[in-house]
Short mmCIF file of all heavy atoms in Angstrom, two decimals:
data_model
loop_
_atom_site.label_atom_id
_atom_site.label_comp_id
_atom_site.label_asym_id
_atom_site.label_seq_id
_atom_site.Cartn_x
_atom_site.Cartn_y
_atom_site.Cartn_z
N MET A 1 35.05 -68.42 -41.66
CA MET A 1 35.65 -67.29 -41.15
C MET A 1 35.16 -65.99 -41.80
O MET A 1 35.57 -64.91 -41.44
CB MET A 1 37.15 -67.26 -41.21
CG MET A 1 37.83 -68.35 -40.35
SD MET A 1 37.55 -68.16 -38.55
CE MET A 1 38.76 -66.79 -38.31
N HIS A 2 34.31 -66.18 -42.80
CA HIS A 2 33.75 -65.01 -43.42
C HIS A 2 32.22 -65.05 -43.42
O HIS A 2 31.57 -64.65 -44.27
CB HIS A 2 34.23 -64.95 -44.93
CG HIS A 2 35.71 -64.74 -45.27
ND1 HIS A 2 36.15 -63.41 -45.35
CD2 HIS A 2 36.76 -65.60 -45.23
CE1 HIS A 2 37.44 -63.59 -45.49
NE2 HIS A 2 37.84 -64.81 -45.35
N GLY A 3 31.76 -65.43 -42.16
CA GLY A 3 30.32 -65.36 -41.91
C GLY A 3 29.67 -66.54 -41.72
O GLY A 3 28.59 -66.72 -40.97
N ASP A 4 30.15 -67.64 -42.20
CA ASP A 4 29.47 -69.03 -42.13
C ASP A 4 29.54 -69.57 -40.68
O ASP A 4 28.81 -70.51 -40.44
CB ASP A 4 30.01 -70.03 -43.20
CG ASP A 4 29.43 -69.72 -44.53
OD1 ASP A 4 28.67 -68.76 -44.70
OD2 ASP A 4 29.79 -70.37 -45.56
N LEU A 5 30.41 -69.02 -39.86
CA LEU A 5 30.34 -69.39 -38.34
C LEU A 5 28.81 -69.15 -37.85
O LEU A 5 28.55 -69.88 -36.86
CB LEU A 5 31.31 -68.65 -37.61
CG LEU A 5 32.72 -69.04 -37.74
CD1 LEU A 5 33.71 -68.09 -37.09
CD2 LEU A 5 32.95 -70.63 -37.14
N GLY A 6 28.13 -68.29 -38.45
CA GLY A 6 26.73 -68.10 -38.08
C GLY A 6 25.79 -69.26 -38.30
O GLY A 6 24.70 -69.23 -37.71
N MET A 7 26.35 -70.20 -38.99
CA MET A 7 25.53 -71.43 -39.17
C MET A 7 25.50 -72.27 -37.90
O MET A 7 24.65 -73.30 -37.75
CB MET A 7 25.94 -72.27 -40.27
CG MET A 7 25.78 -71.64 -41.76
SD MET A 7 26.44 -72.70 -43.05
CE MET A 7 26.37 -71.66 -44.42
N LEU A 8 26.45 -72.08 -37.01
CA LEU A 8 26.53 -72.92 -35.86
C LEU A 8 26.05 -72.18 -34.59
O LEU A 8 26.30 -70.88 -34.48
CB LEU A 8 28.06 -73.22 -35.58
CG LEU A 8 28.75 -74.25 -36.54
CD1 LEU A 8 29.33 -73.36 -37.75
CD2 LEU A 8 29.88 -75.05 -35.84
N VAL A 9 25.32 -72.87 -33.74
CA VAL A 9 24.72 -72.26 -32.53
C VAL A 9 25.15 -73.12 -31.43
O VAL A 9 25.52 -74.27 -31.61
CB VAL A 9 23.27 -72.13 -32.63
CG1 VAL A 9 22.80 -71.31 -33.75
CG2 VAL A 9 22.55 -73.58 -32.82
N LYS A 10 25.02 -72.60 -30.15
CA LYS A 10 25.33 -73.41 -28.95
C LYS A 10 24.51 -74.70 -29.02
O LYS A 10 23.32 -74.64 -29.26
CB LYS A 10 24.95 -72.50 -27.80
CG LYS A 10 25.75 -72.96 -26.43
CD LYS A 10 25.60 -71.94 -25.43
CE LYS A 10 26.46 -72.53 -24.16
NZ LYS A 10 26.48 -71.45 -23.02
N GLY A 11 25.07 -75.69 -28.68
CA GLY A 11 24.50 -77.12 -28.67
C GLY A 11 24.97 -77.94 -29.87
O GLY A 11 24.74 -79.01 -29.85
N ASP A 12 25.48 -77.17 -30.83
CA ASP A 12 26.23 -78.00 -31.98
C ASP A 12 27.52 -78.44 -31.46
O ASP A 12 28.21 -77.91 -30.60
CB ASP A 12 26.33 -76.93 -33.18
CG ASP A 12 25.07 -76.61 -33.82
OD1 ASP A 12 23.95 -77.05 -33.55
OD2 ASP A 12 25.11 -75.53 -34.57
N ILE A 13 27.99 -79.32 -32.42
CA ILE A 13 29.33 -79.85 -32.19
C ILE A 13 30.11 -79.70 -33.52
O ILE A 13 29.55 -80.34 -34.44
CB ILE A 13 29.35 -81.44 -31.64
CG1 ILE A 13 28.68 -81.50 -30.33
CG2 ILE A 13 30.72 -81.93 -31.57
CD1 ILE A 13 28.41 -82.93 -29.86
N ALA A 14 31.29 -79.25 -33.42
CA ALA A 14 32.05 -78.96 -34.68
C ALA A 14 33.23 -80.04 -34.71
O ALA A 14 33.98 -80.25 -33.70
CB ALA A 14 32.61 -77.67 -34.81
N ILE A 15 33.21 -80.83 -35.80
CA ILE A 15 34.30 -81.81 -36.13
C ILE A 15 35.24 -81.23 -37.18
O ILE A 15 34.82 -81.04 -38.36
CB ILE A 15 33.78 -83.15 -36.46
CG1 ILE A 15 32.92 -83.76 -35.39
CG2 ILE A 15 34.94 -84.10 -36.79
CD1 ILE A 15 32.31 -85.13 -35.75
N LEU A 16 36.45 -80.80 -36.81
CA LEU A 16 37.37 -80.15 -37.74
C LEU A 16 38.40 -81.28 -38.11
O LEU A 16 39.08 -81.93 -37.37
CB LEU A 16 38.19 -79.03 -36.78
CG LEU A 16 37.26 -77.91 -36.49
CD1 LEU A 16 36.52 -78.15 -35.17
CD2 LEU A 16 38.21 -76.62 -36.24
N ILE A 17 38.42 -81.45 -39.45
CA ILE A 17 39.32 -82.47 -40.08
C ILE A 17 40.43 -81.80 -40.77
O ILE A 17 40.45 -81.00 -41.56
CB ILE A 17 38.49 -83.25 -41.12
CG1 ILE A 17 37.16 -83.76 -40.53
CG2 ILE A 17 39.24 -84.38 -41.74
CD1 ILE A 17 36.20 -84.56 -41.49
N SER A 18 41.70 -82.23 -40.36
CA SER A 18 42.89 -81.93 -40.94
C SER A 18 43.80 -83.20 -40.65
O SER A 18 44.06 -83.48 -39.53
CB SER A 18 43.45 -80.70 -40.31
OG SER A 18 44.84 -80.60 -40.69
N ASN A 19 44.33 -83.74 -41.81
CA ASN A 19 45.41 -84.70 -41.50
C ASN A 19 46.53 -84.57 -40.61
O ASN A 19 46.82 -85.10 -39.58
CB ASN A 19 45.87 -85.29 -42.75
CG ASN A 19 46.73 -86.59 -42.63
OD1 ASN A 19 46.38 -87.52 -41.80
ND2 ASN A 19 47.85 -86.63 -43.28
N SER A 20 47.13 -83.29 -40.98
CA SER A 20 48.25 -82.94 -40.09
C SER A 20 47.91 -82.39 -38.78
O SER A 20 48.65 -82.46 -37.78
CB SER A 20 49.08 -81.77 -40.77
OG SER A 20 48.36 -80.66 -40.84
N GLY A 21 46.66 -81.81 -38.69
CA GLY A 21 46.17 -81.15 -37.56
C GLY A 21 46.76 -79.75 -37.45
O GLY A 21 46.55 -79.08 -36.42
N ASN A 22 47.47 -79.25 -38.36
CA ASN A 22 48.04 -77.96 -38.33
C ASN A 22 47.57 -77.06 -39.46
O ASN A 22 48.20 -75.96 -39.60
CB ASN A 22 49.51 -78.03 -38.30
CG ASN A 22 50.12 -78.69 -36.95
OD1 ASN A 22 49.63 -78.29 -35.95
ND2 ASN A 22 50.80 -79.75 -37.08
N THR A 23 46.61 -77.54 -40.26
CA THR A 23 46.10 -76.66 -41.37
C THR A 23 45.65 -75.36 -40.98
O THR A 23 44.69 -75.33 -40.19
CB THR A 23 45.07 -77.40 -42.15
OG1 THR A 23 45.53 -78.75 -42.57
CG2 THR A 23 44.70 -76.71 -43.46
N GLN A 24 46.12 -74.29 -41.35
CA GLN A 24 45.95 -72.96 -40.74
C GLN A 24 44.48 -72.65 -41.11
O GLN A 24 43.80 -72.10 -40.14
CB GLN A 24 46.84 -71.98 -41.36
CG GLN A 24 46.71 -70.54 -40.80
CD GLN A 24 45.72 -69.53 -41.48
OE1 GLN A 24 45.36 -69.76 -42.57
NE2 GLN A 24 45.09 -68.65 -40.71
N GLU A 25 43.85 -72.87 -42.25
CA GLU A 25 42.55 -72.67 -42.49
C GLU A 25 41.47 -73.32 -41.71
O GLU A 25 40.43 -72.86 -41.46
CB GLU A 25 42.24 -72.80 -44.04
CG GLU A 25 43.07 -72.03 -44.90
CD GLU A 25 44.24 -72.63 -45.48
OE1 GLU A 25 44.84 -73.50 -44.73
OE2 GLU A 25 44.74 -72.26 -46.50
N VAL A 26 41.96 -74.52 -41.12
CA VAL A 26 41.09 -75.17 -40.28
C VAL A 26 41.24 -74.57 -38.87
O VAL A 26 40.29 -74.45 -38.09
CB VAL A 26 41.29 -76.65 -40.40
CG1 VAL A 26 40.53 -77.49 -39.33
CG2 VAL A 26 41.06 -77.22 -41.80
N CYS A 27 42.53 -74.67 -38.36
CA CYS A 27 42.83 -74.24 -36.95
C CYS A 27 42.42 -72.87 -36.53
O CYS A 27 41.98 -72.64 -35.38
CB CYS A 27 44.28 -74.38 -36.79
SG CYS A 27 44.91 -76.12 -36.89
N GLN A 28 42.25 -72.01 -37.55
CA GLN A 28 41.86 -70.56 -37.20
C GLN A 28 40.40 -70.53 -36.71
O GLN A 28 40.02 -69.57 -36.08
CB GLN A 28 42.01 -69.69 -38.39
CG GLN A 28 41.15 -70.12 -39.63
CD GLN A 28 41.29 -69.18 -40.89
OE1 GLN A 28 42.00 -68.23 -40.85
NE2 GLN A 28 40.68 -69.59 -41.89
N ASN A 29 39.58 -71.66 -36.90
CA ASN A 29 38.27 -71.67 -36.62
C ASN A 29 38.02 -71.99 -35.14
O ASN A 29 36.90 -71.75 -34.47
CB ASN A 29 37.50 -72.66 -37.40
CG ASN A 29 37.23 -72.16 -38.77
OD1 ASN A 29 36.37 -71.40 -39.07
ND2 ASN A 29 38.06 -72.60 -39.65
N ILE A 30 39.08 -72.64 -34.42
CA ILE A 30 38.87 -73.16 -33.07
C ILE A 30 38.54 -72.04 -32.08
O ILE A 30 37.49 -72.15 -31.38
CB ILE A 30 40.18 -73.90 -32.70
CG1 ILE A 30 40.68 -75.06 -33.58
CG2 ILE A 30 39.95 -74.46 -31.13
CD1 ILE A 30 42.00 -75.68 -33.34
N ALA A 31 39.28 -70.99 -31.93
CA ALA A 31 39.01 -69.87 -31.16
C ALA A 31 37.64 -69.30 -31.21
O ALA A 31 36.96 -69.20 -30.17
CB ALA A 31 40.10 -68.94 -31.07
N PRO A 32 37.26 -68.94 -32.44
CA PRO A 32 35.82 -68.42 -32.49
C PRO A 32 34.74 -69.43 -32.24
O PRO A 32 33.80 -68.92 -31.64
CB PRO A 32 35.86 -67.81 -34.03
CG PRO A 32 37.02 -68.39 -34.72
CD PRO A 32 37.91 -68.70 -33.66
N LEU A 33 34.95 -70.59 -32.69
CA LEU A 33 33.96 -71.60 -32.29
C LEU A 33 33.76 -71.75 -30.83
O LEU A 33 32.67 -71.71 -30.22
CB LEU A 33 34.37 -72.87 -32.90
CG LEU A 33 34.25 -73.21 -34.39
CD1 LEU A 33 34.95 -74.41 -34.83
CD2 LEU A 33 32.67 -73.14 -34.81
N ARG A 34 34.85 -71.80 -30.11
CA ARG A 34 34.81 -72.06 -28.64
C ARG A 34 34.30 -70.81 -28.01
O ARG A 34 33.48 -70.93 -27.02
CB ARG A 34 36.22 -72.39 -28.09
CG ARG A 34 36.68 -73.87 -28.61
CD ARG A 34 37.93 -74.27 -27.95
NE ARG A 34 37.64 -74.64 -26.56
CZ ARG A 34 38.61 -75.02 -25.70
NH1 ARG A 34 39.88 -75.06 -26.19
NH2 ARG A 34 38.37 -75.39 -24.50
N HIS A 35 34.68 -69.62 -28.54
CA HIS A 35 34.11 -68.27 -27.99
C HIS A 35 32.57 -68.29 -28.05
O HIS A 35 31.86 -67.74 -27.24
CB HIS A 35 34.64 -67.12 -28.81
CG HIS A 35 34.13 -65.87 -28.40
ND1 HIS A 35 34.51 -65.21 -27.23
CD2 HIS A 35 33.21 -65.03 -28.95
CE1 HIS A 35 33.74 -63.95 -27.08
NE2 HIS A 35 33.07 -63.99 -28.15
N ASN A 36 32.06 -68.94 -29.14
CA ASN A 36 30.66 -68.96 -29.48
C ASN A 36 29.89 -70.16 -28.70
O ASN A 36 28.83 -70.40 -29.04
CB ASN A 36 30.30 -69.04 -30.95
CG ASN A 36 30.80 -67.79 -31.62
OD1 ASN A 36 30.94 -66.71 -31.01
ND2 ASN A 36 31.07 -67.81 -32.92
N GLY A 37 30.71 -70.76 -27.83
CA GLY A 37 30.08 -71.95 -27.04
C GLY A 37 29.94 -73.19 -27.81
O GLY A 37 29.08 -74.09 -27.44
N ILE A 38 30.68 -73.48 -28.94
CA ILE A 38 30.55 -74.67 -29.77
C ILE A 38 31.66 -75.59 -29.18
O ILE A 38 32.74 -75.39 -29.15
CB ILE A 38 30.79 -74.40 -31.23
CG1 ILE A 38 29.90 -73.17 -31.68
CG2 ILE A 38 30.59 -75.63 -32.07
CD1 ILE A 38 28.44 -73.42 -31.66
N ILE A 39 31.28 -76.98 -29.03
CA ILE A 39 32.20 -77.92 -28.58
C ILE A 39 33.03 -78.33 -29.90
O ILE A 39 32.40 -78.48 -30.97
CB ILE A 39 31.36 -79.33 -28.04
CG1 ILE A 39 30.80 -78.81 -26.67
CG2 ILE A 39 32.41 -80.37 -27.86
CD1 ILE A 39 29.86 -79.82 -26.18
N THR A 40 34.27 -78.53 -29.77
CA THR A 40 35.19 -78.85 -30.95
C THR A 40 35.76 -80.16 -30.76
O THR A 40 36.17 -80.57 -29.64
CB THR A 40 36.20 -77.65 -31.16
OG1 THR A 40 37.10 -77.67 -29.88
CG2 THR A 40 35.64 -76.44 -31.45
N VAL A 41 35.85 -81.07 -31.93
CA VAL A 41 36.40 -82.21 -31.92
C VAL A 41 37.40 -82.25 -33.06
O VAL A 41 37.05 -81.84 -34.26
CB VAL A 41 35.35 -83.37 -32.16
CG1 VAL A 41 35.87 -84.69 -32.29
CG2 VAL A 41 34.42 -83.36 -31.04
#
């Protein structure tokens, strides 16, 4: 969320890991990833 989203480009797939599935620092990435055309898992 501080610039490293630039490492991902369209065609990449992001696997977001959180045991609870509600970790704020992980979940906050979903919207910008999808906005940038990244498939999220």
Side-chain angles (χ1 to χ4, degrees):
M1 296 295 286
H2 291 271
D4 284 1
L5 283 170
M7 295 181 183
L8 291 87
V9 297
K10 198 166 184 178
D12 292 345
I13 298 173
I15 299 179
L16 292 86
I17 306 179
S18 163
N19 182 47
S20 69
N22 293 310
T23 307
Q24 190 269 335
E25 296 93 336
V26 177
C27 292
Q28 67 183 350
N29 288 278
I30 303 168
L33 284 168
R34 296 187 72 184
H35 175 77
N36 293 339
I38 311 298
I39 294 170
T40 55
V41 178

